[in-house]
Amino acid sequence: MPKANKLIRESSPYLLQHAHNPVDWQAWGEEALNQAKKEDKPILLSIGYAACHWCHVMEHESFEDEEVAKVMNENYVCIKLDREERPDIDQIYMDAIQNMGLNGGWPLNIFLMPNQKPFYGGTYFPKNKWLEILDKVAMAFQSSRSQLDESADKFAQALNAPDGEKLNLGALEAEKFEPRILSEAYQKLSSFIDWDNGGTLGAPKFPMPVIWKFLLKYAFHSQNPEAKKALEFTLTSMADGGIYDQVGGGFARYSVDAEWFAPHFEKMLYDNGQLISLYADAFRFTKNPYFKEIFEDSIRFSVREIMDSYCRFYSALDADSEGEEGKFYTWTYSELKKILGEDSAPVLKFYNASEKGNWENGSNILFRHSSIEDFCKAEKLDPDKYEGQFDSAKDQLLQAREERVRPAMDDKILTGWNALQMKGICDAYKAHQDEKYKAIAQDNFVFLSEFVWDGNHLFRSFKNDQAKIKAYLEDYALTIQASLTLFEITADSNVLDFAETLANYTIQNFYDDKEKLFFYTDKSSEELIARKKEIFDNVIPSSNSVMIENLHWLGILKGNSSFTEISEQMLKQIQHLLAREPKFLANYASAYALKAYRSYDIVIVGKKAKELQKELWSHYLPNTFIMAIPEESDKQLVWKGKEIINTKTTIYVCENNACQQPVYTVEDALAQLQK
């Protein structure tokens, strides 16, 4: 094995992948940054993540090549960065690339002056092009230094422009929150919906859970049949497609085509956590049993393949195994026949497998065109008999797949992503009260509240029994959100108190009182060339949009009007953009629904409290927080004064702790919600 570089000291799987490259890679830190200044060399910053396919390709073509490494080592201080550990740095330099008029993506390769200011960059480059760029940039650094300095200063200046100024935030001062804003947002969003394939138009296709979460809420509140149809069609199309693992459950990161057929096979924790939530809520709304099957199988996948014995979840599974993308997940026709036997023709037809193969090199990606019921009707098969055959076939294929060489796993444990998964499992519990779900969520909370929280602040990443890197707003926001969801299903006061503690910390250390939004980094974090705010929703919801929802509910549950005020000010800042950019502000639109429609805090007290809570949960009620208190308790403000009346289990339907007449049945409680 080649001699190791300085990345051998690191714990990130992505950095360790590059630890034996002939490139003199270093991790981001004082040592590397000081070396650049001391030697007056440009920095070559290369950003990626462990499950990134094109990162692997560029490594193999260029970073493992002695000729390329020689040029890089002679002319640059070479720094490798795991974007999942340091999203703050990735965010800055991704913005810089876009300010240069270039397309972003990973691997992100960016050239910096010794003072960290960017002047040029790009994404994946083939070896010959990369060598050409390395030579040209090195020559420019020697011969045109003043022009590069000037250019870098301009980019740094652009990066430091206030986010609110750039977006004209707060230009329209809203007096109240109106449902028509959400109707306008939906109308704009509907023009992007792919009515042929589900999802949004174009390819590649990402699941984008935040968009469909908004559509779910909007369809409920507006009773708009088109919105409901778009939601159901999209969720069914994704679950039918190759982007969903038909054998083992769980979703890949995206499909390369517009039909959800051929995935980029990496599986990310953040996608699956959110999609478990989405399918669980969609099941409650539509009562479609297929959606229940999807969230249950996705939890089984998570527990089986990316969870450790302490109910902590790893970050990702690679797309490649044995050097080939998708090899773990695809099948030749002969393999399928051998595993499933001679009477497997209906199963193979159902999953669209063919002798020639439906994908590359004669292999098959399994996907569906219809439900088992519709397939059996079309093929004149007995649905009861063949449903059992399909279930058995899945089990056989999963068992056979377990014998294969597994894709590499990114085994770092990220705080915010674990919080997304914990929330997903809590939402699944609300949809289907499997006590195993609650137990996993409670154990995961132990990780978040004890292993990555030191009593003063959260940490971002955990590996080898060590927490490291100060957490970002994303981690705080998502952990608060997950804690609130866990509190709803457990009524554990310690969980709610923890959420409040984190919220107070974020306000003290991340909040910008001038722009009424939160910075992405803690005020005590490493000082970079810019301090950014995460405004737009992406594959993960914007941390600012999550904080709006968090502070809305904490304001009610803790009776804290300052939380409520910050939540409303944040939303007013962004309101005028909702109808213009709903694709990128969908989670703000979901938060807006909490203000534009009524929000209810429901407290149930008495012997049958849990039973009535579960009955209420069987209805999709997005603007409600439903708490079951088994016996009278005054520990939390939201429970105070809620007593058992006439020895009956009693339901209090309240708005910001102002309650209607207590009732004793779910039917009467639902009637109060509709007033």
Side-chain angles (χ1 to χ4, degrees):
M1 184 176 284
K3 181 185 172 187
N5 55 46
K6 290 177 181 176
L7 297 183
I8 201 69
R9 311 170 186 164
E10 301 301 314
S11 62
S12 156
Y14 176 64
L15 299 186
L16 289 171
Q17 283 172 4
H18 294 267
H20 292 280
N21 293 168
V23 178
D24 293 335
W25 292 119
Q26 301 183 60
W28 181 278
E30 282 187 24
E31 183 181 354
L33 299 174
N34 288 339
Q35 182 187 333
K37 289 177 183 173
K38 184 180 176 183
E39 297 179 7
D40 195 31
K41 276 186 174 181
I43 296 167
L44 197 170
L45 176 62
S46 184
I47 305 174
Y49 57 100
C52 166
H53 174 70
W54 287 103
C55 300
H56 299 331
V57 173
M58 192 162 178
E59 178 189 17
H60 179 65
E61 290 177 349
S62 295
F63 303 148
E64 292 177 350
D65 186 279
E66 296 283 353
E67 177 193 5
V68 176
K70 186 171 185 290
V71 177
M72 291 171 66
N73 295 338
E74 285 177 359
N75 296 289
Y76 303 95
V77 172
C78 301
I79 297 178
K80 258 288 167 199
L81 189 87
D82 183 339
R83 68 171 294 265
E84 295 169 354
E85 281 197 335
R86 294 301 304 263
D88 55 334
I89 297 172
D90 176 61
Q91 191 181 78
I92 289 169
Y93 293 114
M94 189 62 76
D95 279 359
I97 282 286
Q98 288 160 352
N99 283 336
M100 292 172 193
L102 302 167
N103 291 325
W106 299 279
L108 180 64
N109 294 292
I110 190 153
F111 296 91
L112 317 178
M113 301 303 283
N115 60 9
Q116 305 170 41
K117 294 179 181 179
F119 62 88
Y120 185 67
T123 53
Y124 162 77
F125 296 100
K127 176 185 170 181
N128 289 342
K129 183 66 176 173
W130 183 237
L131 277 169
E132 181 187 328
I133 288 168
L134 290 172
D135 286 336
K136 284 184 175 177
V137 170
M139 286 173 62
F141 188 79
Q142 294 301 322
S143 61
S144 308
R145 179 69 177 268
S146 58
Q147 290 99 311
L148 290 186
D149 275 327
E150 187 179 337
S151 177
D153 286 344
K154 283 180 181 173
F155 285 127
Q157 194 175 353
L159 290 169
N160 276 289
D163 296 279
E165 228 173 72
K166 286 188 282 188
L167 295 170
N168 199 25
L169 295 185
L172 301 178
E173 188 60 39
E175 290 300 319
K176 59 183 179 178
F177 302 102
E178 301 177 84
R180 69 168 180 82
I181 297 288
L182 296 179
S183 295
E184 290 168 11
Y186 169 71
Q187 289 306 318
K188 179 69 179 282
L189 191 58
S190 65
S191 66
F192 297 109
I193 293 173
D194 183 344
W195 287 102
D196 293 321
N197 304 296
T200 53
L201 290 164
K205 254 187 168 56
F206 290 81
M208 298 303 292
V210 289
I211 291 177
W212 310 107
K213 174 188 169 186
F214 164 61
L215 233 68
L216 176 61
K217 286 191 170 188
Y218 178 74
F220 171 84
H221 287 299
S222 67
Q223 297 296 297
N224 182 315
E226 183 190 73
K228 185 180 181 184
K229 183 181 174 184
L231 170 79
E232 287 196 87
F233 180 49
T234 291
L235 296 195
T236 301
S237 299
M238 286 198 303
D240 283 352
I243 190 173
Y244 181 71
D245 181 352
Q246 301 294 332
V247 171
F251 288 84
R253 184 166 163 251
Y254 64 90
S255 70
V256 298
D257 55 85
E259 292 81 32
W260 304 109
F261 163 60
H264 188 35
F265 289 89
E266 67 205 60
K267 285 181 174 179
M268 312 300 293
L269 177 61
Y270 60 74
D271 284 320
N272 284 286
Q274 291 179 87
L275 289 165
I276 289 166
S277 283
L278 181 61
Y279 278 87
D281 285 348
F283 167 65
R284 291 197 289 152
F285 180 47
T286 66
K287 309 304 180 191
N288 186 334
Y290 187 32
F291 296 163
K292 180 172 180 282
E293 178 188 328
I294 298 303
F295 78 71
E296 288 183 312
D297 275 355
S298 294
I299 292 174
R300 277 192 280 270
F301 146 71
S302 304
V303 169
R304 183 180 65 246
E305 298 191 34
I306 57 172
M307 189 180 86
D308 75 5
S309 57
Y310 295 97
C311 297
R312 303 176 298 209
F313 293 90
Y314 300 124
S315 296
L317 288 172
D318 209 331
D320 303 3
S321 56
E322 300 182 79
E324 187 179 319
E325 185 184 3
K327 187 171 184 180
F328 185 73
Y329 299 100
T330 57
W331 310 84
T332 64
Y333 197 77
S334 59
E335 280 179 309
L336 293 168
K337 290 278 285 185
K338 184 178 178 182
I339 294 162
L340 300 179
E342 287 306 312
D343 61 346
S344 58
V347 174
L348 301 186
K349 188 171 184 180
F350 178 72
Y351 283 122
N352 297 284
S354 72
E355 290 191 55
K356 290 181 179 177
N358 61 28
W359 196 51
E360 298 171 352
N361 304 318
S363 61
N364 288 281
I365 295 171
L366 304 186
F367 69 100
R368 306 165 49 145
H369 276 316
S370 67
S371 67
I372 291 176
E373 185 181 5
D374 288 345
F375 177 79
C376 288
K377 191 180 291 184
E379 296 294 317
K380 298 181 172 54
L381 302 172
D382 179 341
D384 292 331
K385 177 184 174 184
Y386 281 98
E387 186 159 359
Q389 186 180 6
F390 290 120
D391 289 342
S392 174
K394 272 175 67 173
D395 291 342
Q396 288 174 278
L397 291 173
L398 183 60
Q399 191 174 351
R401 201 171 74 179
E402 290 297 305
E403 303 300 315
R404 293 178 172 180
V405 176
R406 299 189 62 79
M409 181 162 64
D410 184 337
D411 61 352
K412 67 178 179 292
I413 300 169
L414 294 176
T415 298
W417 297 10
N418 268 258
L420 282 172
Q421 179 75 1
M422 186 178 108
K423 182 182 186 299
I425 290 172
C426 289
D427 288 336
Y429 180 78
K430 289 195 280 186
H432 173 58
Q433 285 81 45
D434 185 329
E435 292 303 313
K436 291 195 297 289
Y437 295 170
K438 185 197 283 188
I440 291 169
Q442 288 174 310
D443 283 349
N444 192 258
F445 178 76
V446 171
F447 163 68
L448 294 172
S449 59
E450 295 182 17
F451 286 77
V452 289
W453 169 253
D454 68 358
N456 295 307
H457 56 256
L458 279 174
F459 290 93
R460 167 73 172 178
S461 184
F462 185 85
K463 190 172 177 223
N464 301 333
D465 291 325
Q466 188 175 9
K468 67 175 195 174
I469 306 171
K470 273 194 173 180
Y472 306 105
L473 181 63
E474 173 186 294
D475 301 297
Y476 282 91
L478 296 175
T479 301
I480 294 166
Q481 181 186 58
S483 299
L484 288 171
T485 316
L486 182 64
F487 171 66
E488 184 178 359
I489 71 170
T490 62
D492 182 343
S493 281
N494 295 324
V495 176
L496 181 60
D497 292 344
F498 181 64
E500 181 186 35
T501 298
L502 295 187
N504 284 325
Y505 183 92
T506 59
I507 291 167
Q508 290 161 15
N509 293 277
F510 291 84
Y511 189 59
D512 179 1
D513 194 52
K514 184 179 177 185
E515 287 197 346
K516 311 298 183 192
L517 291 168
F518 289 87
F519 285 108
Y520 191 72
T521 52
D522 194 313
K523 66 183 181 185
S524 64
S525 293
E526 175 189 354
E527 191 172 335
L528 303 170
I529 62 164
R531 192 179 182 205
K532 307 292 291 177
K533 295 186 179 80
E534 184 185 49
I535 306 293
F536 293 112
D537 297 318
N538 205 306
V539 290
I540 294 176
S542 146
S543 42
N544 270 289
S545 68
V546 177
M547 283 306 298
I548 292 171
E549 294 180 291
N550 290 341
L551 293 172
H552 171 86
W553 286 118
L554 278 169
I556 292 169
L557 298 173
K558 285 292 185 178
N560 187 329
S561 60
S562 68
F563 287 163
T564 305
E565 185 181 348
I566 292 171
S567 173
E568 292 186 353
Q569 285 175 336
M570 291 174 74
L571 209 43
K572 286 175 181 178
Q573 289 284 84
I574 217 90
Q575 174 175 304
H576 67 292
L577 293 174
L578 290 182
R580 283 160 45 191
E581 297 290 352
K583 266 179 80 175
F584 307 105
L585 297 167
N587 204 57
Y588 291 92
S590 290
Y592 194 88
L594 292 171
K595 313 284 187 182
Y597 301 103
R598 298 162 88 167
S599 291
Y600 297 94
D601 42 294
I602 299 175
V603 177
I604 314 169
V605 60
K607 287 182 180 178
K608 293 186 177 179
K610 288 295 295 179
E611 189 180 312
L612 296 185
Q613 182 189 42
K614 288 175 182 179
E615 202 178 326
L616 275 168
W617 277 338
S618 70
H619 302 268
Y620 175 65
L621 303 168
N623 281 21
T624 60
F625 203 99
I626 304 167
M627 293 157 279
I629 315 305
E631 54 189 48
E632 294 177 58
S633 172
D634 61 359
K635 185 168 182 183
Q636 293 294 343
L637 178 141
V638 73
W639 299 340
K640 284 186 177 176
K642 315 295 195 300
E643 299 173 347
I644 298 169
I645 298 176
N646 299 329
T647 69
K648 292 181 181 178
T649 299
T650 309
I651 306 173
Y652 293 86
V653 176
C654 315
E655 291 181 68
N656 201 7
N657 295 303
C659 303
Q660 300 180 47
Q661 284 294 319
V663 293
Y664 308 102
T665 68
V666 165
E667 291 74 19
D668 287 343
L670 290 171
Q672 289 185 336
L673 293 174
Q674 291 163 8
K675 285 181 181 176

